[in-house]
Amino acid sequence: MRIDKYLWCVRYYKTRNMVTEACKKNHVTVNGQVAKPSKEVFPTDRITFRKDQITQIITVLDIPESRVGAKLVDIYRKNETPPEAYAHLELLKLSKEHYRKSGTGRPTKKDRRDIDEYGNEIFDEEEDV
């Protein structure tokens, strides 16, 4: 089965076109080699791809006939992505929400002063070194 069809069938991408674009951007590798969308995959192949700021690592267990339901995905692949990658993604989400909520508008005068003060602290530390 083609790599673009496989990743679509096991529900990592919403459309085959999205997989094709990822392959063209060299985000997908099969057994350590950059894969074109037409690259054939076989059981025991190791696929590495970057999606949502996480480098996913999966091993092909079997080839599905067509797109499978979410509950059946584990029959066809083994997810070997380290848990630290998911923890890092959660940390990124929390850090974005920490200071300001999305959609709250422009920074206030106090926010701007805090930002300037933080920048000055970093600049002062660099001068001391």
Side-chain angles (χ1 to χ4, degrees):
M1 179 179 276
R2 293 168 51 115
I3 184 73
D4 61 344
K5 190 170 183 181
Y6 178 80
L7 288 174
W8 171 74
C9 284
V10 293
R11 298 184 163 270
Y12 277 103
Y13 288 90
K14 199 169 190 174
T15 64
R16 281 183 63 183
N17 191 36
M18 291 172 76
V19 185
T20 303
E21 290 298 317
C23 289
K24 287 180 181 177
K25 293 177 182 176
N26 296 335
H27 290 235
V28 180
T29 61
V30 177
N31 296 328
Q33 296 182 339
V34 176
K36 292 183 179 178
S38 61
K39 170 82 172 144
E40 293 288 323
V41 292
F42 302 98
T44 70
D45 280 351
R46 187 180 176 115
I47 301 172
T48 306
F49 59 97
R50 184 141 177 90
K51 184 173 182 246
D52 298 332
Q53 297 184 343
I54 294 179
T55 302
Q56 302 271 352
I57 304 168
I58 62 171
T59 301
V60 179
L61 297 178
D62 197 10
I63 305 295
E65 293 293 319
S66 62
R67 191 164 167 103
V68 296
K71 292 181 180 178
L72 302 176
V73 168
D74 291 331
I75 298 171
Y76 300 103
R77 58 101 172 131
K78 180 181 177 190
N79 190 357
E80 297 178 353
T81 306
E84 296 86 35
Y86 295 112
H88 180 69
L89 181 65
E90 288 297 318
L91 187 64
L92 281 174
K93 286 181 182 177
L94 290 174
S95 67
K96 287 179 182 176
E97 294 175 358
H98 174 70
Y99 185 67
R100 292 178 48 80
K101 296 287 183 191
S102 177
T104 56
R106 294 172 45 181
T108 63
K109 205 170 197 179
K110 181 184 181 321
D111 292 337
R112 186 179 50 80
R113 287 187 190 125
D114 291 342
I115 291 169
D116 290 343
E117 183 180 315
Y118 178 74
N120 290 337
E121 287 176 8
I122 292 174
F123 185 70
D124 291 341
E125 289 176 8
E126 289 178 358
E127 288 180 352
D128 293 341
V129 175

